[in-house]
Amino acid sequence: MTPAPVTPQRPLVVAANRLPVMRAADDSWTPSPGGLVRALLPMLRGAGGAWVGWTGVVDDDAAPFTLDGVELHPISLSPSEYDDYYEGFSNDSLWPLYHDAVRESSFKTQQWDAYVAVNERFAASLAEVAPPGAVIWVHDYQLQLVPQMVRELRPDATIGFFLHIPFPPWELFARLPWRSEIIEGLLGADLVGFQRLMGAENFALIAQRLGLLADPTAGEITVAEPNQPTVLATATGRHVKIGAYPISIDVEEFSELAAERNVRRASATVRSGLGNPEVVLLGVDRLDYTKGIGARMRAFLSLLDDGTLDAERCVMIQVATPTREAVEHYQDERHEIERLVGEINGLHARIGQPVLHYLYRSLSLEDLVALYLAGDVMLVTPLRDGMNLVAKEFVASRRDVNGVLVLSEFAGAADQLTDAVLVNPHDDDAMRAAIVHAIEMNHTERTRRMAALRDAVARSDVRSWAERFLEDLTGIAPQQSGRDVS
Ligand code: ADQ
């Protein structure tokens, strides 16, 4: 049977932990920043679609509303559900486990129960709001049980799931007390998408080991083709496609912002405010222990300590967005980063001239792009990252075809951005060498590498990412579907 296209006859319904809106100061709603929202909202509008998610405010019982032609259906979370489902199971159990267990996960039955309850609430809402034959697209690790729950309630729906973070290997995933339940939840989808092939392969192997595939004795499953989904036959007789769908950004938006006069002026102001140093190293991250902020600061410190770098010539800016501040691992990480900032400046700053400028706050997109333009070397060094959009944003902003990207091999973006200076952030010597290599790189090599990076980023933006996922999910190319993707 050929599936029907994503048209107003087959509307698209998205589910994500958060609705694509924020409350403005006057209590009205405005679209949240971010490429995902910008890519999906026009598709939903064109398809007469809806979005199910949490408003971000605990105990908010906001009624469904329409924004820009898209129906938004708020899911309410109680304070204890926020603690157990969101900060607990999602961010203190799954998040560290899925990121190479770089921190210990807590596995608590009470948190799992809340995760199940909130997933059920999302599934019930989706089942209620999705019109007959709808295409339902579920996002991320907070909602992994939703696909199977929706399938039971609404067998007529076509269900896709995309995981924004890495999917771990069996050795780590097996620690999860509810490992079978999670895989069964995901196998309720028609298509499960991952950032990297490795995630898809890990998933297939785990499903097989847990006896959830039709042939438990088949050899190792490899998902060989990056652009071709692989079909898994489940033990329950269904067929589930899996594949790699590396997410991207709104390339045009960053490129256009970078051309704006006020942004370029702000960038020049940043450099002059720093005392016009020869080299500006830059880091921009959520303050998350997966992002390798400490590793890059320690490498910078060691290069200053041994005199390889001169604090009069070279400064670092680190912008860290506050995130998950109630979770202990995040509090520890913040303390460690701020201790390092103090140590580095204590040893190497001069009066009125810090060598490391640290901002613990969120910035406007304009200010962010101004920083991308002010940096000579962008340090993106996560210990593990699903994709990492900062790396792509930096490249899209560099219309001057200049600047060097140092990129962790452990970020999904490393699969596409192969002309970056790739580095293993667990290797102190390699980190030091990568920073020195980036600083000393001659102009010809810098522009050659940046031109190649810009080609790679230009080849796929967030719209084509969403279109490819939906095409593989429904079997229909977007241009045939009549959707408005403008
Ligand atoms: P994140 O872990 O949040 O996303 P990332 O992909 O780097 O990580 O995206 C961060 C976003 O926040 C970027 O768009 C960046 O511009 C913005 N940002 C960072 N610091 C900021 C600041 N101080 N002020 C304002 N904005 C700031 C998860 C996964 C990633 C995956 C994305 C998308 O962990 O691996 O790339 O989802 O799938």
Side-chain angles (χ1 to χ4, degrees), residues 164 195 286 291 321 361 363 385-389 393:
H164 290 256
Q195 300 274 27
R286 276 188 310 103
K291 301 289 183 184
T321 319
R361 74 195 68 149
L363 298 180
D385 214 334
M387 177 55 55
N388 196 292
L389 299 180
E393 292 168 2

Side-chain angles (χ1 to χ4, degrees), residues 34-36 95 99 140 162-166 195 247-249 254 284-286 288 290-291 319-322 324 359 361-365 368 372 384-391 393 412 465:
L36 182 65
W95 180 271
H99 288 87
D140 228 358
F162 182 74
L163 185 69
H164 290 256
I165 68 174
Q195 300 274 27
I247 198 169
S248 190
I249 57 166
F254 280 88
V284 172
D285 314 76
R286 276 188 310 103
D288 196 299
T290 60
K291 301 289 183 184
V319 188
T321 319
R324 305 172 192 172
L359 304 182
R361 74 195 68 149
S362 213
L363 298 180
S364 69
L365 206 53
L368 210 57
Y372 290 150
R384 175 64 73 191
D385 214 334
M387 177 55 55
N388 196 292
L389 299 180
V390 168
E393 292 168 2
W465 164 81

Side-chain angles (χ1 to χ4, degrees), residues 29-328:
W29 297 99
T30 53
S32 308
L36 182 65
V37 169
R38 259 188 305 278
L40 293 184
L41 278 185
M43 290 186 177
L44 291 173
R45 207 175 298 130
W51 191 308
V52 174
W54 176 47
T55 61
V57 178
V58 165
D59 262 349
D60 190 347
D61 53 2
F65 58 101
T66 302
L67 185 89
D68 260 358
V70 178
E71 272 180 44
L72 302 181
H73 294 268
I75 294 287
S76 176
L77 289 188
S78 69
S80 70
E81 284 169 341
Y82 175 80
D83 290 347
D84 290 335
Y85 145 78
Y86 182 67
E87 290 198 329
F89 197 74
S90 298
N91 289 332
D92 207 28
S93 303
L94 294 175
W95 180 271
L97 183 71
Y98 282 31
H99 288 87
D100 286 0
V102 294
R103 292 289 182 278
E104 197 71 31
S105 285
S106 66
F107 298 122
K108 297 189 178 135
T109 304
Q110 177 181 320
Q111 295 180 347
W112 165 253
D113 290 344
Y115 185 82
V116 175
V118 173
N119 273 247
E120 275 169 352
R121 192 169 310 147
F122 269 86
S125 175
L126 283 166
E128 191 186 321
V129 307
V135 174
I136 294 177
W137 191 359
V138 182
H139 287 262
D140 228 358
Y141 61 103
Q142 302 93 347
L143 302 179
Q144 293 171 99
L145 305 177
V146 169
Q148 180 57 25
M149 288 171 172
V150 173
R151 175 153 308 285
E152 283 161 20
L153 296 168
R154 288 291 303 273
D156 60 301
T158 299
I159 304 166
F161 180 92
F162 182 74
L163 185 69
H164 290 256
I165 68 174
F167 197 81
W170 165 257
E171 290 79 8
L172 295 177
F173 191 78
R175 296 181 189 183
L176 188 60
W178 305 279
R179 56 198 189 189
S180 292
E181 286 89 333
I182 295 278
I183 303 296
E184 281 166 345
L186 292 169
L187 285 173
D190 296 289
L191 169 63
V192 184
F194 300 87
Q195 300 274 27
R196 307 180 90 164
L197 273 180
M198 198 169 42
E201 287 176 355
N202 287 343
F203 176 78
L205 206 60
I206 289 169
Q208 189 180 61
R209 286 209 180 200
L210 291 172
L212 298 171
L213 297 189
D215 184 358
T217 58
E220 201 165 280
I221 296 165
T222 47
V223 183
E225 270 291 324
N227 291 318
Q228 289 292 321
T230 296
V231 180
L232 302 179
T234 73
T236 58
R238 296 188 56 253
H239 287 96
V240 179
K241 288 188 261 188
I242 61 169
Y245 299 84
I247 198 169
S248 190
I249 57 166
D250 186 339
V251 177
E252 217 177 282
E253 176 178 40
F254 280 88
S255 178
E256 281 173 7
L257 266 175
E260 281 185 14
R261 189 173 304 159
N262 60 324
V263 171
R264 294 153 65 94
R265 209 178 295 134
S267 161
T269 306
V270 168
R271 283 199 82 109
S272 59
L274 296 170
N276 288 315
E278 282 171 45
V279 180
V280 176
L281 302 169
L282 176 65
V284 172
D285 314 76
R286 276 188 310 103
L287 205 161
D288 196 299
Y289 52 79
T290 60
K291 301 289 183 184
I293 301 170
R296 85 182 65 128
M297 284 185 177
R298 279 189 291 275
F300 182 51
L301 173 60
S302 135
L303 291 167
L304 289 167
D305 280 348
D306 70 8
T308 308
L309 295 185
D310 177 353
E312 292 200 27
R313 287 185 53 221
C314 181
V315 301
M316 181 189 271
I317 303 174
Q318 176 64 54
V319 188
T321 319
T323 182
R324 305 172 192 172
E325 288 175 295
V327 179
E328 205 177 322

